[in-house]
Amino acid sequence: MAIKSISSSLLTRVLSVYFVLTLIVTAVQIGAEYFDTKRVLIAELQNQQSTFNGSLTRSLWEFNSNQIDTIADGLISIPAIAGVLIRDDAGNILVQLGETTEMSDLPDDNSEGMLLPEREGIFGYYDSLIFEFSGHSTKVGDVSLFSTRDIAIDRIKVSLGFIIGNAIIKSTFLIVLFTIAFNRMLSRPLSDLTQQIKGFRLDNLERSRIRLNDQHNNELVLVEQAYNQLLDNIEEYQADLDRTQKKLKAANRQLDEQNAILEQEVARKTSRLSQVMLDLEQRKNELEMRQEKLEREVGQRRAIENTLRQSNQRLESSLNHLRETQQQLIESEKMASLGGLVAGITHDVNTPIGISVTASSYLREKLDTLDQSLLNKELTQAQLKKFIEEGRESLNLLDNNLHRASDLISSFKQVAVDQASDAIRDINLKSYIEDLVQSLQPHLKKTNHQVQLECADDIFIRCPAGALSQIFTNLILNSLRHAFDGINNGVMTISIKLDGETLQVRYSDTGNGLSQDQLSRLFDPFFTTKRDQGGSGLGTHIVRNLVTQTLSGEIRAESKPGDGLSYFFSFPVQVLN
């Protein structure tokens, strides 16, 4: 029968309830975010319809098919619009572009400003086109603009990331909190109990007693009392055994004396020989009974020893399981760090791309206007000159923002790949770290803090680039989160020198620093100065493991309160000529 860890079972049941509640709350938040985004999309459809309503109505009144097609193309190019449906006053379809609903879903009367319900992921807004002429209103057709569920979901991707990230952070904090509690209240006492039981010595029962610290009236105290009571019983059994042995020796001496007396008086006490033999037989029976009792006591002692040995095995199994759980938490912290980097760079890339889409739409609209003026033979030199100036500005805006997005993606791409891989690559060290700092700009731009790099331009090395990326990412993010409370213009400095085939690195910040007690526990797992703000306490522990295990190097730290924090680490590298 497999032994199941008590701490693991209890932790699983508690966290299962919390994860179910977190899943329900997260689902409700996602649903609310989706419906709010859908409401914004419908408002955008209404605004776009109001914007193009006048020109579309006049085009229908004048039967200008080219103008109608142009307006429809302009509408369908707007990101919020997935489909356009334009009909004349007889209900005939003039233009149908993109994704639209069935004709049966459209109203047959002269309804104005009607929302079209969502069906198969498509929803929209319907409105009649009324032409005012000489004080009379005439319906010349209708227009329906459609959007889709995919567009709404695409808009809320960032919000979904924050919602899910928030749930993950809270869940991670709870897991760490419960793990620490179980370690302090169950795992550590069980380990102490195991070590003391291993020190059992039959020849020194007093030193073999269990003495648990910091335990007050719980089950472990009962185990301590039962074990110590067992030792008391063993002492009593040993005392009984000693007394029995002494009695046996005394009986043997008496038997020897009786034999001597019998040998001297055999001639004259022959008549009493039978009685003496009976006495000897009785004493023999008593000795046999005492021997059986001793054998039973020895069997009981062996059974107790087997029970203690099984208890030791169960305690060792629980300790191994807790160590595996700690390693899984460290891996989760590394993936959470990469997830935060992806969310930040996604937000920064969306900004220049959005500006580029707006500039492209504006340029297309101006080009259509110029084309229409050319067709109507109304094009003037001033209009053409103005179009050229506006087109040049729009193209410059497009070029600058697309280059900005390209630079962001290029600097982030290799850093993200390295953090998820342990591959050994050839890198220019300075360029690689500059790309890494660029990928962290979403975190840095929210503050006035700066990162300064002091490194030669010609250092080309072969090393596990992913480990190097994780080390500097953890150090910079740790400084941003912990070092600059009350400091507005902090500086983080990375100084790198190559000494033969050994890379010497110094990382320092101008933050608040640490006390000697905090510094002594800096690399301990789960130690953090911001436990109540979501800190996991695994960042510096991961850094030390990467330096000492992955890079085969050494690391140490120095700090004083108010004087910042500095890390010094070195590791061997293969220098490329």
Side-chain angles (χ1 to χ4, degrees), residues 302-313:
R302 290 176 178 173
I304 292 172
E305 291 177 353
N306 291 332
T307 302
L308 292 176
R309 191 177 297 108
Q310 293 175 0
S311 298
N312 289 339
Q313 294 175 353

Side-chain angles (χ1 to χ4, degrees), residues 369-385 387:
T369 302
L370 186 67
D371 182 56
Q372 186 63 37
S373 298
L374 181 61
L375 291 175
N376 295 337
K377 298 182 178 180
E378 299 174 355
L379 181 63
T380 65
Q381 184 176 1
Q383 289 177 328
L384 182 59
K385 184 177 181 180
F387 171 76

Side-chain angles (χ1 to χ4, degrees), residues 21 35 37 119 124 167 207 280 321 346 374 391 515 517 559 563:
L21 294 177
F35 286 110
T37 303
R119 179 173 295 180
R207 292 188 59 185
L280 292 175
H321 180 76
T346 301
L374 181 61
S515 65
D517 179 62
S559 179
D563 197 24

